[in-house]
Amino acid sequence: MITEQRLKPTARQLEFQDWEFGLFIHFGLRTFYEGYVDFDERSMSPTEFNPTNLDCGQWAKTAQQAGMKYAVLTAKHHDGFSNWPSQYTDFSVAQSPWKDGQGDVVREFVEQCRQYDIKPGLYYSPYDGAADFYSNKDPKAYDDYFVNQITELLTNYGDIKVLWFDGAGSEGHEYDWKRIVTTIRTLQPNILIFNMADPDFRWVGNEDGIAPIPCWNVVDNIDYSIYKDEQEQLAKDLWLPAECDVQMRANWFYSDSDEHTVKSLEELMGLYYHSVGHGANLLLNIGPDREGLLPKKDEQRLLEFGAAISKRFANPLATLKDCQLREGKWEYWGEKSHLIDHIVIEEDLTNGESVQQFTITVTTAKTQRPTTIYHGINIGHKAIIRVPPIRVKGVTLEITKSDGEPIIREMSLYHVGEQF
Ligand code: FUL
């Protein structure tokens, strides 16, 4: 029986959770100012924006080859520079020498995403360091600007899947969210909004790529930004799946001086277990360089990462089809014994999250005794459980506490070994 009060995801939230892995792209005028930091005092000129070889196809193709399903580009970051020729500012690509001011990074990005079957998303910083009316002295003028720019982005580029609102810098600023959200929902009813205003998914609360255990889908508060410790209390419980955004290097935007900080494959694999493996999405950032390309080392590392993920999880020893549901337990019984070191479980979330506690019990290979080897809390979208290698004849998943009848949509067993 499913309890009436159990919160359920929308169809677009369910779809989002299945994407699992995406590419975050920080690119803009700031790319051309070495060492520029968030809320930098230095002024910047659009005349410096001139990627010599911009290729959004390289971004999208690399993402696709790595197994990513979506990408989010900074349409406008905190510095206020618009990566599209917005008619509401003179601080955009239109004032740059790039393509004689006729270029549009947002357009090239969304078109190439579609080309490679990557869902396009746009980051839009509510904070704006360039619009002098941003400050609370004239919040209404800034709301107008916000709505006008969002209207351009959500009208001129087709279906946009994600609108990513970064809270950083906005602490204490009052926006007319009602007006802004009405605009967004009217223009693109299926868009997913990140973390602010009327969110569809939430920030995991750190920029390290780590989701906790348990990472529930239903929450009553959200983390706002890295500059604010207190969480924002929501008016009611909401289904808000978590996303883990994390950098490939030490900086979000390209820098000449941090190539040595490109994360190792080992560290990235760890992040995968701690994010996707805990039921959250992983949004991994790369800052394209001054040519407008993903830097070689980052591109290679991302491809290695994607290959390592699929190598690990492409060949299960058994899946749900090989299991039987008996008296509320999902049981696998092998003809032969197997070495296993991973158990991956997915809950069908269509009607909400049910599992609150579970155990994994193996039937030992020689004496065929049931032995519990793992106690878990939630399963949610996906739980990747890594155990020391163990030879088993059978494996049983038992849900020991749940809200209503749990539906398991996948349970698979793997022997991955020591490989990377
Ligand atoms: C932070 C920002 O201030 C960074 O520049 C970056 O955009 C990151 C995703 O969010 O809070």
Side-chain angles (χ1 to χ4, degrees):
M1 192 197 70
I2 293 168
T3 50
E4 281 309 307
Q5 64 273 27
R6 198 204 283 172
L7 273 168
K8 298 171 190 179
T10 59
R12 62 175 189 270
Q13 286 174 318
L14 273 180
E15 193 196 338
F16 168 79
Q17 293 188 263
D18 278 341
W19 297 343
E20 292 187 354
F21 187 27
L23 181 61
F24 210 0
I25 297 161
H26 277 66
F27 183 69
L29 179 55
R30 187 174 147 174
T31 303
F32 299 85
Y33 283 80
E34 180 63 33
Y36 192 97
V37 295
D38 283 351
F39 319 114
D40 203 303
E41 296 289 298
R42 269 191 284 170
S43 69
M44 297 194 290
S45 165
T47 55
E48 295 302 307
F49 184 87
N50 200 6
T52 46
N53 192 18
L54 181 86
D55 184 0
C56 298
Q58 182 234 13
W59 309 353
K61 185 175 177 195
T62 308
Q64 187 206 43
Q65 288 176 340
M68 291 170 151
K69 298 288 185 277
Y70 68 115
V72 178
L73 165 72
T74 49
K76 183 194 85 167
H77 200 252
H78 304 328
D79 56 59
F81 180 77
S82 299
N83 265 330
W84 76 103
S86 171
Q87 59 168 294
Y88 299 99
T89 181
D90 54 8
F91 195 53
S92 82
V93 284
Q95 284 74 45
S96 79
W98 178 59
K99 297 194 171 176
D100 294 325
Q102 302 302 305
D104 184 340
V105 184
V106 171
R107 184 165 307 284
E108 294 193 22
F109 168 73
V110 295
E111 283 177 1
Q112 291 304 321
C113 281
R114 290 185 190 122
Q115 193 69 31
Y116 289 96
D117 205 17
I118 294 289
K119 318 281 184 225
L122 298 175
Y123 166 116
Y124 184 88
S125 171
Y127 172 89
D128 193 310
D132 47 12
F133 45 81
Y134 172 78
S135 71
N136 276 331
K137 278 177 241 129
D138 198 351
K140 165 80 175 64
Y142 186 71
D143 287 332
D144 291 344
Y145 183 66
F146 195 146
V147 165
N148 286 334
Q149 285 216 310
I150 290 289
T151 301
E152 289 181 323
L153 290 173
L154 302 187
T155 307
N156 300 331
Y157 301 95
D159 202 16
I160 302 297
K161 295 289 184 180
V162 167
L163 189 55
W164 215 94
F165 283 141
D166 183 349
S170 285
E171 298 80 5
H173 187 99
E174 292 285 319
Y175 298 94
D176 186 349
W177 282 125
K178 197 159 176 263
R179 179 175 168 214
I180 294 164
V181 167
T182 304
T183 307
I184 298 167
R185 298 284 183 218
T186 307
L187 292 171
Q188 300 242 359
N190 288 321
I191 207 163
L192 290 143
I193 301 178
F194 173 74
N195 219 53
M196 291 174 91
D198 179 28
D200 294 291
F201 63 109
R202 74 182 200 272
W203 184 44
V204 77
N206 63 65
E207 291 181 343
D208 300 278
I210 315 273
I213 292 181
C215 185
W216 300 111
N217 287 292
V218 174
V219 289
D220 64 3
N221 59 46
I222 50 175
D223 288 283
Y224 188 84
S225 81
I226 50 165
Y227 302 108
K228 187 170 167 178
D229 287 338
E230 316 84 62
Q231 295 179 315
E232 300 265 300
Q233 193 61 40
L234 300 166
K236 55 178 183 172
D237 287 3
L238 291 177
W239 182 279
L240 292 179
E243 181 185 63
C244 302
D245 60 319
V246 66
Q247 303 161 332
M248 176 67 96
R249 303 184 177 202
N251 293 291
W252 295 102
F253 284 82
Y254 176 78
S255 164
D256 275 339
S257 62
D258 64 1
E259 197 190 66
H260 64 286
T261 64
V262 169
K263 289 188 169 51
S264 65
L265 182 55
E266 182 184 11
E267 186 171 353
L268 291 171
M269 257 342 283
L271 293 182
Y272 186 78
Y273 284 87
H274 287 290
S275 54
V276 175
H278 293 180
N281 280 27
L282 175 61
L283 186 66
L284 176 61
N285 183 77
I286 299 181
D289 62 18
R290 292 169 192 141
E291 277 189 77
L293 298 170
L294 302 183
K296 265 274 153 283
K297 187 167 174 183
D298 307 53
E299 181 195 22
Q300 278 313 318
R301 190 52 46 81
L302 175 55
L303 291 173
E304 285 165 22
F305 184 27
I309 296 167
S310 59
K311 194 167 170 205
R312 275 169 188 243
F313 299 110
N315 298 304
L317 294 165
T319 67
L320 196 66
K321 289 198 286 299
D322 307 303
C323 301
Q324 288 198 325
L325 179 56
R326 228 181 268 140
E327 291 167 19
K329 299 177 190 175
W330 284 260
E331 296 175 350
Y332 164 77
W333 185 259
E335 288 287 303
K336 297 185 296 196
S337 65
H338 291 288
L339 261 189
I340 63 163
D341 54 12
H342 284 73
I343 303 127
V344 179
I345 314 170
E346 296 178 34
E347 200 179 334
D348 182 336
L349 299 176
T350 315
N351 288 312
E353 185 163 3
S354 165
V355 177
Q356 296 175 343
Q357 245 174 45
F358 66 97
T359 57
I360 305 278
T361 300
V362 300
T363 306
T364 55
K366 181 174 180 292
T367 41
Q368 308 207 348
R369 295 292 160 87
T371 307
T372 298
I373 59 160
Y374 189 84
H375 285 262
I377 306 172
N378 68 317
I379 294 176
H381 175 258
K382 185 178 267 188
I384 303 180
I385 298 158
R386 190 177 192 179
V387 294
I390 180 168
R391 184 166 290 281
V392 300
K393 187 85 175 114
V395 177
T396 301
L397 164 68
E398 183 176 5
I399 312 301
T400 47
K401 189 174 171 208
S402 65
D403 175 8
E405 193 73 45
I407 302 173
I408 299 302
R409 74 166 184 178
E410 192 50 276
M411 165 167 152
S412 36
L413 311 176
Y414 299 83
H415 178 232
V416 164
E418 301 291 314
Q419 61 164 301
F420 259 108

